[in-house]
Amino acid sequence: MNSLRPVLLTADAFAPFGEVIQCEGARHFPINAGTTERYHDLAKIAPGEGGRAIVSIFRGQPRSFPLTIAMMERHPLGSQAFVPMQKRDYLVVVAHSLADSKEPGIVQAFIARGDQGVNYAPGVWHHPLIAVGEVSDFLVVDRQGEGHNCDEFSLAEPLLLEYAG
Amino acid sequence: MNSLRPVLLTADAFAPFGEVIQCEGARHFPINAGTTERYHDLAKIAPGEGGRAIVSIFRGQPRSFPLTIAMMERHPLGSQAFVPMQKRDYLVVVAHSLADSKEPGIVQAFIARGDQGVNYAPGVWHHPLIAVGEVSDFLVVDRQGEGHNCDEFSLAEPLLLEYAG
């Protein structure tokens, strides 16, 4: 099996897939008489036509590594954001995604810091949540609404995600 | 000054003001081949007519206690949710709120655990973010859009919020 080696998550590297939800590099301004800094509007939350944005908590079991990446999924109708709730690192696996293609392109992996969320743009192929180390909670902002909003794809050639923690 | 003593946050006690975003008591189901549990649709995210839901990070300076509560604010057009990103406790101060009243009613204070978020329903009077102990980040889901969406009110009789940490 080919290896998949994660690299550190940055806004630029993740741009083809969506946004990194982080303070770094974001527009910000003081509010509440200077007691709070607001890092404003950090992701393109897109519940899509006829959908609405909802919040849920995903409680992920920690994975063992190396982890076989054998499938990917995508949500064609809406974005999906993950934000860690206990500042614990996690892994993100995405694939280049063309709207008119039924399958994922080149797969990439990222190490997300515990203070970084990610927002997958609608239709972006990604692997389900990969928590690391301990059971981890994530706030998820995604779409509720009518319509078929989940495709799955089995990789013809699974990859082996390496991570030392 | 009258004292304001916070009590532990529960969904029932907070119901007049909005929702507690937490796993406890929520509808949930396994996803991702059982590696993740989804606690589903935990708050009434309400960006309102002509608004859209956005995500931001609020970085709050820790407060000193006792803290004088001298003003409250409300967002008449949309809900506003706060979810801690580092599992650190914080305080929530709200007031009973009638849509046709221009001022807050009885003020109540809650101690929110680090794994509990809150969502203020549209029009609910609340005090700005009260972080505790250290600089704390919160994911905020609120409204972007046209219209006047923030009222402030100075309390005729400020309260002294007590908290030992």
Side-chain angles (χ1 to χ4, degrees):
Chain A
M1 232 181 306
N2 283 327
S3 281
L4 182 61
R5 290 198 172 80
V7 298
L8 292 179
L9 179 68
T10 65
D12 282 351
F14 195 72
F17 313 107
E19 300 84 36
V20 178
I21 297 169
Q22 63 182 357
C23 294
E24 216 173 299
R27 181 162 78 90
H28 60 100
F29 44 90
I31 57 171
N32 302 345
T35 59
T36 299
E37 194 74 11
R38 180 175 179 131
Y39 296 80
H40 185 69
D41 195 5
L42 303 175
K44 291 179 184 144
I45 301 300
E49 192 71 25
R52 62 185 176 87
I54 61 169
V55 296
S56 302
I57 295 173
F58 281 20
R59 177 163 286 173
Q61 297 297 319
R63 306 292 190 130
S64 299
F65 299 94
L67 177 68
T68 302
I69 303 294
M71 63 81 69
M72 305 283 280
E73 63 179 31
R74 67 174 175 185
H75 309 300
L77 303 183
S79 59
Q80 187 177 45
F82 289 79
V83 178
M85 291 174 61
Q86 59 284 296
K87 216 173 175 177
R88 187 177 298 128
D89 295 358
Y90 60 106
L91 296 184
V92 171
V93 174
V94 286
H96 288 269
S97 308
L98 297 172
D100 56 357
S101 170
K102 287 200 178 341
E103 56 186 270
I106 295 167
V107 177
Q108 278 187 254
F110 296 98
I111 302 165
R113 290 194 318 258
D115 62 355
Q116 293 178 313
V118 291
N119 184 49
Y120 301 125
V124 164
W125 290 102
H126 58 276
H127 190 272
L129 182 61
I130 305 174
V132 169
E134 293 180 48
V135 174
S136 302
D137 289 347
F138 294 79
L139 190 77
V140 173
V141 184
D142 62 3
R143 175 189 194 266
Q144 178 90 305
E146 295 295 311
H148 172 77
N149 193 26
C150 193
D151 297 328
E152 292 189 4
F153 188 86
S154 294
L155 298 179
E157 297 186 7
L159 297 162
L160 203 58
L161 177 62
E162 300 188 1
Y163 183 62
Chain B
M1 235 181 306
N2 282 327
S3 281
L4 181 61
R5 291 198 172 80
V7 299
L8 292 178
L9 180 67
T10 65
D12 282 351
F14 195 71
F17 313 107
E19 300 84 36
V20 178
I21 296 169
Q22 62 181 357
C23 294
E24 216 173 301
R27 182 161 78 91
H28 60 102
F29 44 89
I31 59 171
N32 301 346
T35 58
T36 299
E37 194 74 10
R38 180 175 179 131
Y39 296 80
H40 185 69
D41 195 4
L42 303 175
K44 292 179 183 144
I45 302 299
E49 193 70 25
R52 62 185 176 89
I54 60 169
V55 297
S56 302
I57 294 174
F58 281 20
R59 176 162 286 174
Q61 297 298 318
R63 306 292 191 130
S64 299
F65 299 95
L67 177 67
T68 301
I69 303 294
M71 62 81 68
M72 305 283 281
E73 63 178 33
R74 67 174 174 184
H75 309 301
L77 302 183
S79 60
Q80 188 177 44
F82 289 79
V83 178
M85 292 175 62
Q86 58 284 296
K87 217 174 174 176
R88 187 176 298 128
D89 295 357
Y90 61 106
L91 296 184
V92 171
V93 174
V94 286
H96 288 269
S97 307
L98 297 172
D100 56 359
S101 171
K102 288 202 177 338
E103 56 186 270
I106 295 167
V107 177
Q108 278 186 253
F110 296 98
I111 302 164
R113 291 193 319 259
D115 62 355
Q116 293 177 314
V118 291
N119 184 49
Y120 301 124
V124 165
W125 290 103
H126 58 276
H127 190 272
L129 182 61
I130 304 173
V132 170
E134 293 180 46
V135 175
S136 302
D137 289 347
F138 294 79
L139 190 78
V140 172
V141 184
D142 62 3
R143 175 189 194 266
Q144 178 91 304
E146 295 297 310
H148 172 79
N149 194 27
C150 193
D151 296 328
E152 291 190 6
F153 188 87
S154 293
L155 298 179
E157 298 186 7
L159 297 162
L160 203 59
L161 177 62
E162 300 190 1
Y163 184 63

